Amino acid sequence: MLAIPGPLDGAVRAAALLRLSRRTGPLHLLGRRARQEECAREVARLAEQLDDDVVRRDAARTLGSVLFVTGRLEEAAVATDRAIALARATGDAEVEAALVGNLASVLARQGKVTEARRLYEQSIELSRALGKPGVGTRSTANLGALLWSRGRLTEAREQLERALTLSRDRGLRRTEAAVLGNLGLVDHDEGRLRASRAHTAESLAIYRELGDRHGEAIATGNLAMIFHAEGRVLEAHDGYERQLALSREMGHRQAEAIAMGNLGNLLADEGRLDEARRLILGKLAISREIGDPRTEAFAQNGLGLVLGEMGDLEAAAACQRACIEICERVEERLLAAGARAELGSLLLASGDHAAGREALLVARAAAETHGYQNTL
């Protein structure tokens, strides 16, 4: 527990801790996750002793945000729901709009896509009703990211370009960096690697300027992914190693899982299959631990690719089927198409030609339906 000097009664202590949490809010940018979570939990516990809904609301909001970052999604949803109820009780529609967007992000991470999209749109509409569309900038950006992750690239670009304008107009540099990074991902999936690299490099530069190590880890990994696609293997390897180191330093479990998978995929391409398998199994374990189905789906896909290369076709096919099942549940269309294509190839190699051809045809149709390029 963080120490507050001097004899303080519960109410004064809670208020002091809340001020402390605000002062130490930037700790997450420097990777001090454990200390921030400890502080946030103590603030929320003591704030409940106060007859002050604003203090309780802000404490619950802080706790929800911290728990989201540390991967404790169920607790994050509970804390954010509590903050939304208190925002409504205090009549602060602007804070409510922001908190609804926060809850949408928790649900999106849990794979509850339809509900997440509804809440992002609700957050945006609340901000418009207030005559402050800029309040919904983060929700607009996050909606774009959600649409990208579900393969809706045209809709994603529209939302992200709108969010980029809003973030620049309001001087929201961190949101601008996130939007640029997500535009880079859309470019990548459309096969526009030069544009992807430019957007991602600009995102990374802003994160470094702000001293945001979480954002730096994400952008570093994304840039390494582009180098990987361009065949710049050494630069990709260095980038993934840097991403993994930053993620572990911060204690950010989801970012660590993604970094392990990225590095594992690169090692697999280099033929270092045992090392790749170990890293991707680590990603799978973390994704299950934190309840992140989308990351789990990517881990199943990556593991299936490695096992296929190792000659274990049955286990590889089981992984791709598991990936497809999760993708269907969380509406992850792009990955599902790739997993079906890989499953089709595995079935053909196993001698099940009819099932293999059917899987490949379904994968091709899905890719064409959603306008993917360079996918199959």
Side-chain angles (χ1 to χ4, degrees):
M1 184 171 66
L2 295 176
I4 304 298
L8 299 172
D9 62 27
V12 176
R13 179 179 171 78
L17 276 166
L18 184 60
R19 290 194 295 273
L20 175 61
S21 76
R22 287 169 175 160
R23 291 201 303 274
T24 59
L27 287 172
H28 76 282
L29 307 182
L30 303 174
R32 298 169 190 169
R33 302 281 181 193
R35 184 181 173 195
Q36 192 190 32
E37 183 175 328
E38 178 187 4
C39 179
R41 286 186 185 279
E42 180 73 348
V43 168
R45 184 181 69 81
L46 292 171
E48 288 299 322
Q49 300 175 19
L50 298 177
D51 186 21
D52 188 329
D53 282 347
V54 172
V55 172
R56 289 192 294 223
R57 178 200 71 199
D58 290 348
R61 180 182 190 176
T62 298
L63 179 60
S65 296
V66 171
L67 292 171
F68 172 74
V69 169
T70 55
R72 304 180 191 279
L73 300 182
E74 292 294 339
E75 291 182 272
V78 171
T80 307
D81 260 331
R82 170 72 170 150
I84 290 171
L86 290 165
R88 288 170 180 161
T90 56
D92 195 328
E94 186 171 328
V95 172
E96 179 187 348
L99 285 166
V100 168
N102 289 356
L103 182 58
S105 294
V106 177
L107 297 178
R109 179 79 64 80
Q110 292 176 309
K112 299 174 182 177
V113 179
T114 301
E115 182 68 4
R117 179 169 185 172
R118 184 185 70 78
L119 289 178
Y120 280 137
E121 290 171 347
Q122 180 182 332
S123 171
I124 294 165
E125 184 55 39
L126 281 170
S127 68
R128 287 175 180 160
L130 290 168
K132 298 179 178 180
V135 172
T137 301
R138 284 184 59 192
S139 288
T140 303
N142 288 332
L143 176 58
L146 180 70
L147 292 167
W148 160 76
S149 72
R150 270 60 195 176
R152 301 182 181 277
L153 302 185
T154 301
E155 295 173 79
R157 186 177 293 280
E158 290 174 359
Q159 293 292 337
L160 290 169
E161 288 178 348
R162 186 176 299 118
L164 185 61
T165 299
L166 287 168
S167 61
R168 285 174 170 169
D169 287 348
R170 298 187 73 206
L172 301 174
R173 295 286 281 162
R174 188 164 292 109
T175 302
E176 179 186 355
V179 172
L180 287 165
N182 285 320
L183 279 170
L185 293 172
V186 173
D187 292 330
H188 176 275
D189 287 353
E190 291 177 339
R192 303 168 65 238
L193 295 183
R194 182 177 298 178
S196 180
R197 185 168 7 96
H199 278 134
T200 307
E202 188 175 357
S203 172
L204 178 59
I206 294 172
Y207 281 130
R208 285 177 171 166
E209 171 194 321
L210 296 173
D212 186 335
R213 293 172 75 77
H214 173 218
E216 181 183 353
I218 293 171
T220 297
N222 288 347
L223 193 58
M225 177 183 67
I226 297 163
F227 290 149
H228 191 178
E230 293 176 328
R232 298 162 64 175
V233 177
L234 291 178
E235 290 165 285
H237 193 281
D238 288 347
Y240 287 146
E241 288 278 13
R242 172 69 174 163
Q243 181 191 26
L244 183 56
L246 282 169
S247 301
R248 285 175 170 165
E249 175 187 321
M250 293 184 300
H252 193 311
R253 299 291 278 160
Q254 189 211 27
E256 179 184 359
I258 291 171
M260 291 174 76
N262 286 341
L263 184 56
N265 293 338
L266 179 62
L267 294 176
D269 286 350
E270 294 177 333
R272 298 162 63 179
L273 299 179
D274 286 333
E275 295 171 83
R277 179 176 175 274
R278 185 177 67 253
L279 282 166
I280 297 171
L281 281 171
K283 175 181 182 178
L284 182 61
I286 293 173
S287 68
R288 288 172 170 169
E289 174 192 326
I290 66 176
D292 184 342
R294 184 169 181 269
T295 300
E296 180 182 352
F298 274 92
Q300 291 282 10
N301 176 250
L303 183 59
L305 293 172
V306 171
L307 291 172
E309 289 294 317
M310 297 175 81
D312 192 343
L313 302 187
E314 184 176 348
C319 288
Q320 298 303 344
R321 289 190 180 97
C323 173
I324 293 165
E325 186 277 325
I326 297 170
C327 287
E328 289 176 346
R329 177 157 43 90
V330 302
E331 302 176 36
E332 177 56 66
R333 295 177 176 84
L334 176 57
L335 181 58
R340 287 188 189 280
E342 179 61 23
L343 178 60
S345 298
L346 290 166
L347 292 171
L348 288 174
S350 301
D352 192 345
H353 296 155
R357 283 194 296 270
E358 181 181 356
L360 288 169
L361 286 172
V362 171
R364 174 66 67 182
E368 291 174 351
T369 296
H370 299 291
Y372 298 127
Q373 300 172 19
N374 299 333
T375 302
L376 303 175

